[in-house]
């Protein structure tokens, strides 16, 4: 399995409606993108976020599923929407999950 982690930073505070739309888009990934095991998305509540307001994790069955995710139209819709929300930066980490 592979874990895909993304942290999002926005120029200004996202509205509740914007966040709800972003969350709904991510939570629909398993219905549309093959090889997804789990999705989690939410707003930081710790205050240790160094300016990154939202975190997303997507777990994949294997590296091939992770590789197919990037160009998938549903993923690209979320990417575009996050830019429209005023996304200024992201951090992405992908790693294999050892059992």
């Amino acid at each position: 399995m592979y874990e895909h982690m993304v942290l999002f930073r926005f120029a200004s505070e996202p509205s509740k409606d914007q966040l709800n739309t972003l969350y709904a888009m991510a939570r629909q990934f398993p219905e549309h993108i093959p090889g997804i095991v789990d999705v989690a998305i939410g707003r930081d509540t710790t205050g240790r976020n160094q300016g990154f307001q939202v975190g997303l994790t997507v777990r994949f069955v294997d590296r091939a599923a992770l590789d197919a995710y990037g160009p998938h139209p549903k993923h690209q819709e979320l990417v575009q929407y996050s830019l429209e929300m005023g996304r200024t930066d992201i951090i992405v980490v992908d790693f294999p999950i050892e059992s």
Side-chain angles (χ1 to χ4, degrees):
M1 283 204 277
Y2 264 81
E3 191 80 12
H4 172 70
M5 300 171 62
V6 183
L7 302 176
F8 296 85
R9 182 182 306 182
F10 298 96
S12 60
E13 195 62 35
S15 72
K16 185 175 182 178
D17 287 342
Q18 287 175 316
L19 289 172
N20 286 339
T21 298
L22 185 72
Y23 297 169
M25 293 173 82
R27 289 181 182 131
Q28 291 177 7
F29 284 168
E31 298 170 35
H32 302 283
I33 304 174
I36 292 179
V37 175
D38 188 47
V39 172
I41 187 168
R43 182 147 179 71
D44 175 73
T45 60
T46 68
R48 299 179 294 163
N49 58 15
Q50 298 181 20
F52 289 86
Q53 297 120 310
V54 174
L56 167 70
T57 62
V58 184
R59 186 165 288 181
F60 296 90
V61 295
D62 57 22
R63 179 61 193 252
L66 170 61
D67 291 343
Y69 165 78
H72 193 281
K74 287 295 181 183
H75 173 247
Q76 288 303 310
E77 286 176 17
L78 183 139
V79 169
Q80 185 58 41
Y81 185 71
S82 71
L83 290 169
E84 292 168 11
M85 288 175 63
R87 187 189 85 205
T88 58
D89 198 8
I90 59 171
I91 295 175
V92 178
V93 177
D94 299 321
F95 57 90
I97 299 171
E98 304 295 330
S99 47

